[in-house]
Amino acid sequence: MQLSSLFASPVLLLQLCIDSLRFMFASFFSKLYYSTVYSETISSVAPAASKVHQEKDRNVMTPTSVNYHFTRKCNYKCGFCFHTAKTSFVLPLDEAKRGLKLLKESGMEKINFSGGEPFLHDRGEFLGELVQYCKQDLQLPSVSIVSNGSTIKEEWFQKYGDDLDILAISCDSFDESTNQLIGRTQGGKSHIDNLHKIRSWCQQYKVAFKINSVINTFNMYEDMTENILQLNPVRWKVFQCLLIDGENAGEKALREAERFVISEQLFQEFLERHSSVPCLVPESNEKMRNSYLILDEYMRFLDCREGRKDPSKSILDVGVKKAICFSGFDENMFLKRGGKYVWSKADMKLEW
Ligand SMILES: C[S@@+](CC[C@H](N)C(=O)[O-])C[C@H]1O[C@@H](n2cnc3c(N)ncnc32)[C@H](O)[C@@H]1O
Ligand code: SF4
């Protein structure tokens, strides 16, 4: 059709306008329709896909390295402590062993006993029995303990030392008055003298010796290089003081650790000051928060993702596979912080 004839006919012109409007409406509504349908499809598929992903993740999560805080009781009063005496419960020995067996059957290779203070309950006999059971019966490649060291006796090493791979003693300062200020002491006894005594027992009874330090406002300017080099631990774990709601922060907490917390920059400065120490393993808040599989006194995994410790159901009631889904464990961060290392004393090639 000629353009001139089109403009000559008002009817045709009107028809053309109607058609154009119809086309515009149609294309607008079709876009709207498709965008709605598409986004609905995406949102209905995406959770399903991520659910599948999560399920898959859950299925592959293995409790390779577990920290069992079987008691919350302690004889020290460290002001920053993030695992406080909220209960005095400890499982019966047989139940604790049953849980450890379940963990072994689910792939556990390393168990670390912690607390509270693990050497207090039954004067260290409960702990000794578990150490022996994990090494001799469960044949775990690595059995370790974290302790403040204050109540360990030489007899304990004589009885259980063979079955223990690593003993970590916490020490935040080599200045006795700083330990007093922190609360890492009992009745004025020297924490540092005790540390040296335990170090020599570790040597004598062939247990790998480790040190843990929490860097906080009271010790952040200290230079511990010489002391650490002299003690020569296999690892020196250096933690940035961490806040956990309900433990050392917030209304219901038994500790108020805000005054101990230091910035990332001050933590980095501490690390730089100690860069000549080869065994130093740093753990910032970010690295620490979700990279530990923590079991509490009821054998419930504790999920720290929300900045507090949310418990799962007990592995004794629902099994490891179901409980571990609620652990909040970040396996990648665990690997990134060097969570997997040579952890059997037999493989460490130590000069005793
Ligand atoms: C809760 S304690 C239990 C074992 C033992 N009572 C001890 O102090 O070694 C386990 C480890 O957590 C560390 N720790 C406690 N509170 C902390 C916090 N707020 N931030 C970082 N590490 C902390 C301790 O220094 C210790 O090395
Ligand atoms: S960090 Fe201190 S208060 Fe907390 S459990 Fe260990 S020794 Fe006890």
Side-chain angles (χ1 to χ4, degrees), residues 72-84 115-118 147-148 170 172 183-184 214 255:
R72 284 179 170 272
K73 275 185 154 180
C74 189
N75 56 334
Y76 274 17
K77 292 188 173 58
C78 308
F80 52 64
C81 183
F82 62 16
H83 205 82
T84 54
E117 176 45 43
S147 163
N148 65 29
S170 298
D172 313 311
R184 196 175 279 292
V214 179
R255 296 279 197 285

Side-chain angles (χ1 to χ4, degrees), residues 11 27 29 42 51 65 105 109 117 142 172 177 192 197 224 227 239 272 283 289 332 352:
V11 180
S27 88
F29 281 111
I42 289 285
K51 250 185 205 158
S65 174
E105 286 161 1
E109 291 172 34
E117 176 45 43
S142 184
D172 313 311
S177 61
I192 298 157
K197 190 173 67 185
M224 307 183 188
N227 291 290
F239 305 117
E272 274 157 35
E283 268 179 41
R289 195 169 280 115
N332 288 331
W352 304 105

Side-chain angles (χ1 to χ4, degrees), residues 68 70 100 111-115 118 127 130-131 134 143-146:
Y68 176 26
F70 63 81
L100 291 165
I111 182 74
N112 178 51
F113 296 106
S114 185
L127 175 64
L130 292 185
V131 164
C134 284
V143 180
S144 68
I145 300 171
V146 184

Side-chain angles (χ1 to χ4, degrees), residues 57-229:
D57 281 349
R58 283 170 186 179
N59 289 340
V60 296
M61 208 191 283
T62 308
T64 314
S65 174
V66 177
N67 296 275
Y68 176 26
H69 296 245
F70 63 81
T71 178
R72 284 179 170 272
K73 275 185 154 180
C74 189
N75 56 334
Y76 274 17
K77 292 188 173 58
C78 308
F80 52 64
C81 183
F82 62 16
H83 205 82
T84 54
K86 298 202 303 190
T87 78
S88 56
F89 182 80
V90 178
L91 277 171
L93 187 62
D94 283 353
E95 280 297 86
K97 284 184 180 174
R98 181 165 77 85
L100 291 165
K101 188 157 183 264
L102 291 175
L103 287 160
K104 159 79 192 204
E105 286 161 1
S106 300
M108 178 170 68
E109 291 172 34
K110 179 181 192 290
I111 182 74
N112 178 51
F113 296 106
S114 185
E117 176 45 43
F119 280 90
L120 288 188
H121 189 57
D122 198 14
R123 296 192 177 145
E125 283 305 303
F126 183 88
L127 175 64
E129 291 275 343
L130 292 185
V131 164
Q132 197 171 60
Y133 177 71
C134 284
K135 192 49 101 180
Q136 293 186 14
D137 296 56
L138 300 183
Q139 306 260 302
L140 288 186
S142 184
V143 180
S144 68
I145 300 171
V146 184
S147 163
N148 65 29
S150 62
T151 63
I152 309 178
K153 302 269 181 294
E154 187 173 3
E155 293 75 52
W156 194 95
F157 279 92
Q158 289 165 346
K159 207 165 165 188
Y160 302 111
D162 266 0
D163 294 324
L164 184 64
D165 288 278
I166 306 167
L167 176 60
I169 302 295
S170 298
C171 180
D172 313 311
S173 175
F174 290 89
D175 177 345
E176 216 63 87
S177 61
T178 307
N179 286 326
Q180 296 277 345
L181 284 171
I182 289 172
R184 196 175 279 292
T185 180
Q186 188 190 23
K189 282 189 227 154
S190 166
H191 187 73
I192 298 157
D193 287 353
N194 207 39
L195 180 75
H196 282 275
K197 190 173 67 185
I198 293 170
R199 205 277 168 260
S200 64
W201 284 338
C202 282
Q203 180 99 14
Q204 193 179 341
Y205 294 98
K206 299 185 171 42
V207 174
F209 175 70
K210 184 177 156 184
I211 299 177
N212 283 4
S213 301
V214 179
I215 309 313
N216 61 80
T217 46
F218 291 86
N219 63 2
M220 62 188 177
Y221 296 123
E222 203 171 315
D223 189 342
M224 307 183 188
T225 308
E226 239 178 76
N227 291 290
I228 297 291
L229 290 177

